[in-house]
Amino acid sequence: MISRKFSLVVSLLSSFGFAAMAQQDSIPLTTIIEKTAKYSTAFPIEKVYLHLDKPYYAAGDTIWLKAYVTVEKHQPSGLSGIVYVDLVNGQDSVLTSLRLQLKNGFANGNITLDGETFKQGAYRIRAYTNWMRNFDPDYFYDRTINVGNAIDNKVNTFITYKSSGKKGGLIKLNANIIYKSPSSAPYADKKVTWQLIRNGDPIGKGRGSTDANGNLLVEMPENDAETLMSGSLVTSIDMGDRNFVTNTFPLKGSITSFDVQFFPESGQLTNGVRTKIAFKAINVKGLGADITGNVTDDKGNEVAVLKSSHLGMGIFGITPDIDKTYTANVIFPNGSKATYKLPRVQSMGIGLAINNSDPDNLAIKIAANDVFLQHKQNKSFYLVAQSGGVIYYAASTTLQNLSYSANVPKSKFPTGVLQITLFSSGGYALCQRVVFIQHNDQLSLALKTDKPSYTVRQNVKMSVTALNKTAPVIGSFSVAVLDDTTIPSDENNEQTILSNILLTSDLKGYIEKPNYYFNKPDQEKLDNLDILMLTQGYSRFSYEDLLADKYPPIYVAPEQGIEVTGILRTNTGLPVSKGNIRLLVPDNSFSAETLTDMSGNFKFSDVVVKDTSKITLSARNNVNSKNMVINVNGEIFQKINKNNNVADEVVNIDSVIRPYLENSRKQYQSSRVLKEVVIKAKPVVKKASHTDYGTFAGLSPQADHEINAEQLKGCPILLNCLSTMALGLTYVDNNFYVTRDYNQGNKTTPVQIYINSSQVDVSNLSSMTGDDVESVEIFLNDGLSGINKVNGTKGVMVINKKEIKKQKISLSQLMALIPKQNVITFAVQGYTKAKDFYVPKYDVNKSSVIGLDLRNTIYWNPKVVTDKTGIATFNFYNSDARGSYRAIIEGLDGDGNLGRQVIHFNVK
């Protein structure tokens, strides 16, 4: 159980002229405070942060990770006992899913990026708890991971785009691709064919040859921006001897285009009220674009100068005039220009302005214009400041003057995102402003090596001392030691425990280079952070809904462990009350018993299941058990939400992480051992296919997409796996639809599903596992078969079951094969067992016959725990790499104090 503490500070602003509540006020300030506290108690905010061992990977690597799950004030969560980690590809298919058991809010795990499943490209790693599923998935931990492939890639590419055309019209897009070998030698005079693909269909194609430098110019047909941006360029280069290498280039960021948004501090421009206006300029990928320009009124007079200060963001101020309109004249980085109309000036209103530059106080100003004062004079207004759902400050004032100012000590608030809201006395939110409070009160972590420098393969002894101000703390930390030469990184672009838990986890949308604001912060970075706050939205909850007692629906409860639930019925459908159910997990020698309730429902809690194990439920210990049927409730599958971090995807992976991929190639060559191979003739085994059945005579011989048995291996429930793995299809409301048609509004014509040649309903897939299936073939149209016309469907999915070899069996064996409804066996996703990071041990005084040690993650330890003196020690051996190593430590203590430190040391 979690002990929740709420700090409720109701303060009076003497400079605001506080008065007692007038009787005509419809909602007292205490109502807002009490309802917010009630909401915070009923709906605690959990956050998940993953510390990964490095910023990018290559096929064949292992992702080492530690999960930190926190609740209020960033304390380790006792609310949930399980955290889920999904690795998702660019087609929104979940390739790997971990179910990690939390202990005191912490868990560690790993994901192996095998070369068969993980191709070069961008992936998403997301993490969440069962409780977090009740709320907006935009608040899940979600991060883009770029994966290269130095082993299978024989062709390295570098692509650039050039576009032309008017906004809203057709776009002419050209691509220049450079083809080179892994040793950087150009592939000259090679024939290349290309296709422009959207939603699986070609919308353009062509061919060409590379020049002497390996360059190929691809001139795509004119098209609208949306079509191009949602498509991909697929090329195939002929390497000779019938060897073709295919490359796919997403076109998401291919068009040269910019946009600017403007954000008045109070949400609107009010006549006569001086207002700060923040702006954010981005390119087509969503990355910041620096701009210059000015703001003019309708007579051409300049009223403000535009100049971005950081990543396309900036700020200016104007005093709006109701009789004027305002236009922003913008010059983009490529010299192009655009104009934007600022929001229309309102004749009446009140504004909230915050100055966050003072390290000790928030300067708050409330300003109204004459018209508003005349209508609302002597009315009460409330000011409420909350962080993490907890109100730390609340005040009330009566409107008597055009403006009020006051300083509020920042000591009242914790470090992090603070939402300040100005309410009318009726509880209507008039203005909101988000600021960031930075106390620099993180844990002081002193990570030290026992020597100033080392040699290769030498033992390194490290210690860490964790202090909260001057007091030692017991904390849980994770440590990664990396080779700086092969894993160069931008510290500003890192996702850290500070940038995530304190900043990005509370804001919606993409935030570029989040650790910039925490990496050696100075006044310039604090000013830029305040501008960021003006451009980002906070929507953890709505005051309007909260005051109307409209709470979010709760679909799932927090998980303390794995639960197995279901219902016991008679074969006539009647529920069996007080029925005995026995559960057995053979792999763990785990068993339990329970009785059903009056409605026949049963539940087993804290079931110990490791990895993908099978569970057996039996109702045999009941009278008339032969007439009983056990039904098990399926597990909840989390849908894929929109990727807000597309801007972090790297197109030219071969060049961007080249040092890392070169080291990966050397690792592979160093570890490769040639063995004697005896070649024996082997009969060709025919693969199960739809062509085995006359039903599909008119279908294309080649499916649009195919899922093989290896990809489905270990899948406990086929339906859950196919809902994310079926490329070109969308799974909604217990039906599959062709994605392109569904997105165009056709949401009533589902895909026809077959198991072998038999038509089935989608519910049949819930009773199958991935191990039952040889392959799944997906057809986005039915060709000449007429299947869709006959059945009123669109698209075909054929599930080819594994063939069971025929053999004679005895009567007793036959009886054993007949399923018993009162005994069922099924697979579940159990707790994923984490591997131990391998740490070699060397004796530098003895010669070694071991090959080259080219590790770039030198050390990973997710279980560093400081003792009561605040100290922890650990040791490891260097690799054969010389140069700079960097050690990163992150973590928190039991009170939710966060800490991070990075140090470098040399290996000679």
Side-chain angles (χ1 to χ4, degrees), residues 767-823:
S767 60
M768 297 177 65
T769 69
D771 295 333
D772 300 328
V773 178
E774 182 66 34
S775 67
V776 178
E777 297 174 285
I778 298 168
F779 301 85
L780 302 181
N781 61 68
D782 63 350
L784 302 175
S785 66
I787 290 174
N788 291 155
K789 184 176 181 180
V790 172
N791 298 299
T793 53
K794 182 66 185 292
V796 180
M797 179 191 292
V798 180
I799 298 169
N800 300 300
K801 294 188 69 174
K802 289 181 178 178
E803 183 181 354
I804 301 175
K805 295 181 179 179
K806 296 180 180 180
Q807 58 182 1
K808 293 183 178 180
I809 60 174
S810 65
L811 178 61
S812 59
Q813 289 174 317
L814 177 62
M815 295 300 294
L817 291 175
I818 299 174
K820 300 173 180 60
Q821 294 181 318
N822 62 358
V823 178

Side-chain angles (χ1 to χ4, degrees), residues 629-640:
V629 179
I630 300 175
N631 292 304
V632 180
N633 298 327
E635 294 190 82
I636 298 173
F637 177 79
Q638 181 62 41
K639 292 182 179 180
I640 304 296

Side-chain angles (χ1 to χ4, degrees), residues 262 279 290-296 302-308 316 327-332 336-338:
F262 297 87
F279 61 86
D290 288 330
I291 62 170
T292 57
N294 64 7
V295 177
T296 56
E302 183 178 275
V303 296
V305 174
L306 296 181
K307 185 175 176 58
S308 53
F316 63 92
T327 302
N329 308 291
V330 177
I331 303 174
F332 294 110
S336 62
K337 299 179 180 180

Side-chain angles (χ1 to χ4, degrees), residues 568-783:
L568 179 64
R569 301 179 185 272
T570 65
N571 52 17
T572 60
L574 296 176
V576 178
S577 64
K578 297 184 179 181
N580 180 276
I581 302 288
R582 180 175 175 80
L583 179 146
L584 177 66
V585 184
D587 292 350
N588 298 344
S589 300
F590 178 89
S591 63
E593 288 191 26
T594 191
L595 296 178
T596 61
D597 63 15
M598 297 304 293
S599 300
N601 299 303
F602 62 86
K603 180 172 77 171
F604 291 93
S605 300
D606 295 324
V607 179
V608 180
V609 188
K610 296 180 180 178
D611 293 320
T612 303
S613 298
K614 290 192 174 181
I615 291 177
T616 298
L617 294 177
S618 173
R620 286 178 173 174
N621 294 338
N622 294 289
V623 178
N624 296 323
S625 63
K626 291 183 179 180
N627 298 321
M628 294 182 182
V629 179
I630 300 175
N631 292 304
V632 180
N633 298 327
E635 294 190 82
I636 298 173
F637 177 79
Q638 181 62 41
K639 292 182 179 180
I640 304 296
N641 57 307
K642 178 185 176 183
N643 183 7
N644 291 320
N645 301 309
V646 173
D648 287 333
E649 294 181 359
V650 174
V651 176
N652 295 308
I653 293 178
D654 294 327
S655 58
V656 173
I657 60 172
R658 182 177 176 181
Y660 185 81
L661 295 178
E662 286 180 349
N663 186 74
S664 178
R665 186 178 296 109
K666 291 177 182 177
Q667 278 183 296
Y668 173 73
Q669 293 171 345
S670 174
S671 62
R672 186 173 55 184
V673 178
L674 296 178
K675 297 182 180 180
E676 180 183 2
V677 178
V678 178
I679 301 176
K680 296 181 179 180
K682 183 183 290 186
V684 177
V685 179
K686 185 182 182 304
K687 186 173 69 171
S689 166
H690 70 286
T691 57
D692 298 337
Y693 308 100
T695 307
F696 310 117
L699 281 180
S700 169
Q702 181 68 39
D704 292 300
H705 303 288
E706 185 172 345
I707 305 170
N708 59 40
E710 184 63 28
Q711 292 172 279
L712 292 169
K713 186 177 181 181
C715 170
I717 301 175
L718 182 62
L719 177 60
N720 287 353
C721 297
L722 289 183
S723 64
T724 58
M725 296 177 69
L727 299 183
L729 301 184
T730 297
Y731 180 69
V732 177
D733 297 332
N734 295 318
N735 271 311
F736 287 93
Y737 300 89
V738 175
T739 299
R740 64 172 178 237
D741 293 335
Y742 187 85
N743 292 340
Q744 292 171 0
N746 184 359
K747 302 181 180 182
T748 58
T749 311
V751 170
Q752 180 60 59
I753 302 173
Y754 290 86
I755 296 179
N756 293 340
S757 61
S758 301
Q759 289 186 19
V760 298
D761 185 73
V762 70
S763 60
N764 290 66
L765 308 186
S766 298
S767 60
M768 297 177 65
T769 69
D771 295 333
D772 300 328
V773 178
E774 182 66 34
S775 67
V776 178
E777 297 174 285
I778 298 168
F779 301 85
L780 302 181
N781 61 68
D782 63 350

Side-chain angles (χ1 to χ4, degrees), residues 260 262 269 277 279 291-306 316-318 320-321 323-331 337-345:
V260 186
F262 297 87
L269 299 181
I277 302 175
F279 61 86
I291 62 170
T292 57
N294 64 7
V295 177
T296 56
D297 61 21
D298 47 4
K299 294 182 179 180
N301 300 314
E302 183 178 275
V303 296
V305 174
L306 296 181
F316 63 92
I318 64 173
D321 187 332
D323 296 322
K324 296 181 180 180
T325 58
Y326 299 92
T327 302
N329 308 291
V330 177
I331 303 174
K337 299 179 180 180
T339 59
Y340 297 86
K341 292 292 184 181
L342 295 190
R344 183 179 177 182
V345 179

Side-chain angles (χ1 to χ4, degrees), residues 5-126:
K5 301 176 182 178
F6 292 93
S7 299
L8 193 57
V9 181
V10 181
S11 303
L12 299 184
L13 298 181
S14 57
S15 60
F16 275 15
F18 269 71
M21 285 290 112
Q23 291 185 354
Q24 68 268 24
D25 292 342
S26 58
I27 295 181
L29 175 59
T30 53
T31 298
I32 298 176
I33 296 171
E34 291 168 357
K35 290 197 173 187
T36 303
K38 179 182 177 182
Y39 180 94
S40 183
T41 304
F43 304 98
I45 298 172
E46 271 194 322
K47 298 181 180 181
V48 178
Y49 168 70
L50 298 185
H51 180 193
L52 309 185
D53 64 311
K54 49 196 171 193
Y56 42 79
Y57 298 86
D61 284 350
T62 297
I63 299 174
W64 301 96
L65 60 91
K66 179 173 181 177
Y68 294 85
V69 182
T70 66
V71 286
E72 183 200 335
K73 296 182 181 178
H74 320 312
Q75 296 174 355
S77 177
L79 186 64
S80 295
I82 297 174
V83 63
Y84 297 89
V85 179
D86 297 334
L87 193 57
V88 185
N89 68 9
Q91 289 75 44
D92 288 342
S93 297
V94 177
L95 301 182
T96 300
S97 183
L98 308 182
R99 191 180 207 171
L100 301 176
Q101 186 173 20
L102 289 165
K103 294 184 178 179
N104 301 318
F106 309 111
N108 64 284
N110 54 273
I111 300 173
T112 301
L113 303 174
D114 65 273
E116 288 295 321
T117 303
F118 295 92
K119 307 302 180 183
Q120 181 163 300
Y123 297 81
R124 295 168 62 191
I125 188 166
R126 65 174 186 173

